[in-house]
Amino acid sequence: MAYIVDLTLIMQNIFWLVTISHTPVSPRLVKLAYVAYKESIMKTNVHEDIKKHVEEQNVLDRLRRDNALDKIVELLQKNRIDTEEMFRLQGSIGNVKFSGQNDESWVI
């Protein structure tokens, strides 16, 4: 569950960085999106919510077919960045140049 939510939220960061900077995806941009999520309070909150959800489950809850899917959807809706917020944050990002070239290694 955590992998799916983490990956989706990181992909959202990549989408917004590409949209704001009008540049192709590059290793540098992907690493920035990953590090921004990894170091954010959002990741901590997501993982705490998942842990709490798992601890509260009883046997019948675990038998419910879409229980995990419902929680994933809830977490994504709760933690997504909406358009208005992203454009407010655009000024904070500043003038970072995201090279579209593969001039950087994937190692973080």
Side-chain angles (χ1 to χ4, degrees):
M1 189 182 307
Y3 292 125
I4 293 169
V5 176
D6 289 345
L7 178 61
T8 304
L9 293 173
I10 291 167
M11 294 299 293
Q12 173 190 259
N13 286 349
I14 293 169
F15 171 78
W16 282 115
L17 288 169
V18 167
T19 301
I20 285 175
S21 64
H22 304 288
T23 187
V25 176
S26 67
R28 183 175 185 191
L29 189 134
V30 172
K31 289 185 336 187
L32 177 65
Y34 169 75
V35 170
Y37 178 73
K38 179 181 154 195
E39 295 177 0
S40 72
I41 189 69
M42 182 186 299
K43 178 183 180 228
T44 303
N45 292 342
V46 164
H47 286 244
E48 286 176 5
D49 285 351
I50 291 170
K51 183 178 178 183
K52 183 179 175 185
H53 172 73
V54 170
E55 289 171 352
E56 292 175 349
Q57 298 297 295
N58 62 39
V59 175
L60 293 176
D61 291 330
R62 292 178 189 193
L63 292 175
R64 260 193 57 235
R65 183 178 189 191
D66 292 331
N67 194 26
L69 180 60
D70 292 343
K71 187 62 179 180
I72 289 169
V73 170
E74 175 190 325
L75 288 168
L76 291 174
Q77 289 176 344
K78 178 180 170 185
N79 293 287
R80 69 176 186 211
I81 300 175
D82 63 3
T83 304
E84 182 180 313
E85 180 182 4
M86 196 60 205
F87 283 109
R88 267 196 322 260
L89 295 172
Q90 182 176 5
S92 303
I93 292 175
N95 232 354
V96 179
K97 293 187 181 194
F98 299 109
S99 168
Q101 302 169 0
N102 287 330
D103 57 354
E104 205 171 308
S105 109
W106 285 100
V107 179
I108 294 181

